[in-house]
């Protein structure tokens, strides 16, 4: 079960709206969606959680690049929404690096019977490269009252409520839940 919401900081406090991520295909699409929630280029937080597994926070401040925090990269990698957040840069990889085999280097002469066992092992090995730990900017909410240590210690099943409470936005978040 997934939940995603936008929290936009305004002159009057935080405004929340639930959001559908079905049409969002890239981090850039997600950042554009966040920017649309705040015409005054104020801070917008995209909060995403998969029940009891992981949570993510994307912060968009005006036209700046989005800042991202994911509580468990390996768990997020197994979800479509998590895949949006796990950029090469966030995972410390060279941009454009591919997890799979180099298809141009394969000798495909038409006699293949499918994938070999070696191919399966390679996929498992690359999945292990994603840590079972938080990744991203753990200082993403420092100026909003949530320290790096506090963010890293949040439990995935109650993190968004805890974040909203610290921001003074728990009531507006509950209205969209």
């Amino acid at each position: 079960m997934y939940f995603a919401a936008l929290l936009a900081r305004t002159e009057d406090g935080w405004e929340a709206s639930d959001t559908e991520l079905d049409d969002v295909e890239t981090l850039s699409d997600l950042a554009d969606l966040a920017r649309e929630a705040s015409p005054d280029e104020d801070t917008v937080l995209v909060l995403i959680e998969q029940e009891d597994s992981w949570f993510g926070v994307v912060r968009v401040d005006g036209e700046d690049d989005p800042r991202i925090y994911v509580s468990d990269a390996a768990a997020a990698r197994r979800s479509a929404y998590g895949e949006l957040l796990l950029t090469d840069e966030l995972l410390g990889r060279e941009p454009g690096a591919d997890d799979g085999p180099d298809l141009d280097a394969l000798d495909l002469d038409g006699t293949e019977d499918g994938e070999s066992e070696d191919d399966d092992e390679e996929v498992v090995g690359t999945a292990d490269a994603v840590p079972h730990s938080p990744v991203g900017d753990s200082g993403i909410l420092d100026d909003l009252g949530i320290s790096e240590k506090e963010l890293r210690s949040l439990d995935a099943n109650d993190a968004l409520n805890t974040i909203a409470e610290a921001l003074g936005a728990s009531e507006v978040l509950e209205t969209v839940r």
Side-chain angles (χ1 to χ4, degrees), residues 17-177:
S17 58
D18 63 339
T19 186
E20 285 293 323
L21 299 179
D22 294 340
D23 295 332
V24 175
E25 295 180 6
T26 66
L27 180 59
S28 182
D29 292 344
L30 186 61
D32 290 343
L33 182 68
R35 287 183 185 104
E36 289 172 11
S38 178
D40 295 331
E41 296 189 8
D42 290 323
T43 298
V44 178
L45 301 176
V46 181
L47 305 174
I48 303 171
E49 71 179 358
Q50 180 180 3
E51 193 171 284
D52 297 331
S53 183
W54 66 275
F55 71 93
V57 178
V58 179
R59 179 176 178 160
V60 178
D61 294 301
E63 291 299 318
D64 293 347
D65 287 339
R67 296 168 56 193
I68 305 164
Y69 175 82
V70 176
S71 67
D72 183 335
R77 182 183 176 108
R78 293 187 298 268
S79 91
Y81 299 133
E83 282 282 324
L84 284 173
L85 308 181
L86 297 175
T87 63
D88 288 337
E89 181 181 344
L90 192 70
L91 295 172
R93 298 182 190 154
E94 286 294 317
D98 189 6
D99 289 1
D102 181 5
L103 297 179
D104 292 332
L106 294 177
D107 181 20
L108 301 177
D109 61 3
T111 61
E112 296 80 17
D113 289 331
E115 294 182 18
S116 71
E117 290 179 26
D118 292 341
D119 290 340
D120 292 338
E121 290 173 16
E122 184 175 334
V123 171
V124 169
T126 58
D128 290 340
V130 178
H132 286 278
S133 62
V135 295
D137 183 354
S138 55
I140 193 170
L141 301 173
D142 274 350
D143 65 325
L144 300 174
I146 301 171
S147 71
E148 291 183 38
K149 183 178 178 182
E150 290 169 311
L151 185 62
R152 293 174 77 79
S153 70
L154 292 177
D155 186 44
N157 65 355
D158 195 40
L160 300 192
N161 290 333
T162 303
I163 291 169
E165 187 175 308
L167 299 174
S170 57
E171 287 182 21
V172 294
L173 183 64
E174 278 305 309
T175 61
V176 297
R177 244 190 216 278

